[in-house]
Amino acid sequence: MNILVIAEHDNVSLKADTHKVVAAATAIGGDITVLVAGLNVGDVAQHAAKLTGVTKVLVADNACYEHHLAENLGLLVADLGKDYSHILASASTTGKNFLPRTAALLDVGQISDIISVIASDTFTRPFYAGNAIATVKSKDSVKVITVRTSAFDNVEETATADVVAIDNAHDAGISSYVSSELTKSERPELGSARIIISGGRGMQNGDNFKMLEEVADKLGAGVGASRAAVDAGFVSNDMQVGQTGKIVAPELYIAVGISGAIQHLAGMKDSKVIVAINKDPEAPIFQIADYGLEADLFDAIPELSSKL
């Protein structure tokens, strides 16, 4: 079997999600090729070549791929993908944008959000906000798959794969890049943070999130929020953790003033250690927490910060 993994990157550095997609590819078994499509992505390709299990890196270095427009990237992956048994990408904004187009062009079904590999044609994926797990078997000649990266561990960097430049350029000419509005922060991104501290409706207002930011800075953590906090206007939606936000699985997740609605749990329950701070002893978050503190967060967080 030949597996094509689409690298996740920003044209400068390889994102950790790619390590985890390669881990999923390794579980399937076979020769793994990584595709790096972008502009001036030489450093990204060299990094991808180090991922354990990767045998080849294809580099499509062209201006039409600089901003990862789904219309262009979908054409490229479909063109290359017909020679592979599996095509894998992260279930990120980018992956969810271009890969369905690839599947349509190849006339196959897509398997979304896999969390484990049972066999080369059989996978599991969550639905009903993670309350049920479906086992999906595909008979398609090419398996097109998005990977929920929170369910897989990073592969190591011990390989020295060949890096091959390709001259494929697919500019569909039906979309163009206009601009990006990115949130800039010195704190780690939620998707790659080892520690995350999140606040919910119990924070009462956006100003009180400064308490969490103080703790986060001492722990080197990312700061997240529940949908209730985002909908209430406390913080921006790029901080949202949950079914309709970011799916995370850090080593430590601290939930502050979060009741634990099913939609939030779907986005963080795979965290290695979960700590919950809530004054309501009946809060559902305590049912999945490894450590629970029944306390008023306005007492507990300042004390935690002082102890740190």
Side-chain angles (χ1 to χ4, degrees):
M1 289 181 294
N2 294 319
I3 303 171
L4 181 65
V5 170
I6 316 304
E8 189 93 6
H9 62 89
D10 59 2
N11 293 313
V12 177
S13 58
L14 189 70
K15 294 189 177 180
D17 279 357
T18 306
H19 293 64
K20 298 179 179 183
V21 177
V22 170
T26 302
I28 294 171
D31 292 331
I32 301 172
T33 299
V34 174
L35 170 64
V36 178
L39 182 64
N40 299 324
V41 289
D43 290 344
V44 177
Q46 292 300 325
H47 191 175
K50 297 178 182 178
L51 301 184
T52 302
V54 174
T55 55
K56 184 191 295 183
V57 176
L58 300 179
V59 184
D61 202 320
N62 192 286
C64 66
Y65 304 127
E66 179 180 5
H67 301 292
H68 310 119
L69 296 177
E71 294 78 6
N72 298 350
L73 199 53
L75 286 170
L76 171 65
V77 177
D79 184 25
L80 297 172
K82 60 182 181 289
D83 297 324
Y84 291 84
S85 61
H86 298 73
I87 302 172
L88 275 66
S90 164
S92 61
T93 302
T94 301
K96 289 177 178 179
N97 200 7
F98 80 84
L99 208 58
R101 301 168 191 270
T102 295
L105 290 166
L106 293 173
D107 196 25
V108 298
Q110 177 175 303
I111 305 171
S112 303
D113 267 334
I114 70 162
I115 58 173
S116 72
V117 176
I118 296 176
S120 62
D121 62 353
T122 310
F123 314 90
T124 62
R125 63 178 301 272
F127 64 111
Y128 290 139
N131 279 307
I133 305 297
T135 300
V136 181
K137 185 171 184 176
S138 172
K139 294 183 177 180
D140 287 325
S141 57
V142 181
K143 279 73 171 172
V144 176
I145 301 166
T146 60
V147 177
R148 179 170 290 193
T149 53
S150 62
F152 294 87
D153 294 326
N154 287 339
V155 295
E156 296 181 354
E157 298 183 7
T158 60
T160 53
D162 294 332
V163 177
V164 180
I166 58 176
D167 57 5
N168 304 52
H170 297 273
D171 189 346
I174 57 176
S175 62
S176 60
Y177 171 79
V178 178
S179 64
S180 298
E181 294 183 14
L182 303 176
T183 301
K184 294 183 179 180
S185 173
E186 294 182 359
R187 299 187 186 93
E189 292 183 4
L190 291 177
S192 59
R194 291 177 55 252
I195 302 172
I196 295 174
I197 180 167
S198 288
R201 196 196 306 273
M203 298 301 297
Q204 297 184 0
N205 60 59
D207 290 339
N208 289 331
F209 267 78
K210 293 177 182 177
M211 294 192 302
L212 302 188
E213 292 170 358
E214 185 177 315
V215 173
D217 290 340
K218 293 180 179 181
L219 292 173
V223 178
S226 68
R227 177 169 182 169
V230 172
D231 287 350
F234 296 170
V235 293
S236 60
N237 60 9
D238 63 291
M239 294 172 61
Q240 184 176 320
V241 172
Q243 184 181 12
T244 53
K246 291 182 172 67
I247 308 296
V248 299
E251 294 178 18
L252 172 62
Y253 188 90
I254 306 173
V256 182
I258 294 175
S259 63
I262 185 173
Q263 292 85 356
H264 186 76
L265 301 185
M268 45 65 71
K269 65 182 181 181
D270 290 330
S271 304
K272 304 299 184 290
V273 177
I274 299 172
V275 174
I277 301 174
N278 201 298
K279 64 181 180 182
D280 178 9
E282 302 300 320
I285 192 73
F286 285 127
Q287 295 176 16
I288 67 161
D290 297 286
Y291 299 93
L293 175 60
E294 182 188 336
D296 189 319
L297 69 90
F298 295 103
D299 295 328
I301 295 302
E303 185 174 354
L304 172 62
S305 183
S306 67
K307 293 262 192 307
L308 290 170

